[in-house]
Amino acid sequence: MERFHGRTTLLISRGRNIMCTNAQSIAGHHVLIIERLGEMSEQGEQVEHLVRATIRNCLTAMQTMGVDAGEAVEMICRMLESELALLPQDRQRLRNVLASAQVHAEYLLLTEQRAMH
């Protein structure tokens, strides 16, 4: 298990090597950045481009480590879903930022898959 932002996140693939742990760490740190951006959006800041750049950087870092694009997107989307599940409904702007980050990760995967075919 690893700890992020005071919460415990189970490793998705317990039987995998250290690379998975490092990938989890990268994803976790980027999710924290996205959460901070969501908090900034609650203060009226425009953060959409920063969220997209953060997702892109996260996926690039994970792929550089050798993680498959599909696995990388699955990992970060699970973390984002976990954070969304913990948020109260009244934090709608933060919820929207987390949801848009998830959609953007899935979009990047789709565009990468299309480019390969």
Side-chain angles (χ1 to χ4, degrees):
M1 286 193 250
E2 292 186 27
R3 293 191 61 79
F4 297 110
H5 199 266
R7 299 184 192 112
T8 302
T9 303
L10 290 174
L11 291 176
I12 294 171
S13 303
R14 292 181 182 202
R16 299 196 104 166
N17 60 18
I18 295 296
M19 180 180 72
C20 184
T21 301
N22 290 337
Q24 285 282 347
S25 179
I26 289 169
H29 289 293
H30 282 82
V31 167
L32 288 176
I33 292 168
I34 292 166
E35 286 179 355
R36 296 297 177 261
L37 292 171
E39 291 169 359
M40 290 171 60
S41 77
E42 291 179 318
Q43 304 302 315
E45 298 287 331
Q46 298 295 316
V47 299
E48 295 83 10
H49 64 288
L50 296 171
V51 171
R52 290 189 299 271
T54 301
I55 288 292
R56 188 173 45 254
N57 290 341
C58 178
L59 296 177
T60 299
M62 292 172 74
Q63 287 178 297
T64 299
M65 291 185 59
V67 177
D68 174 72
E71 288 181 48
V73 168
E74 181 181 332
M75 197 179 297
I76 195 160
C77 285
R78 282 188 185 178
M79 287 185 175
L80 290 166
E81 286 172 10
S82 294
E83 295 303 318
L84 274 167
L86 297 173
L87 281 176
Q89 293 296 321
D90 65 340
R91 307 250 347 241
Q92 195 57 49
R93 284 189 181 186
L94 177 53
R95 295 179 65 79
N96 289 345
V97 167
L98 294 174
S100 71
Q102 186 175 1
V103 168
H104 189 62
E106 293 167 352
Y107 168 78
L108 290 176
L109 176 62
L110 179 63
T111 57
E112 182 172 317
Q113 289 172 338
R114 284 188 179 171
M116 296 177 90
H117 295 305

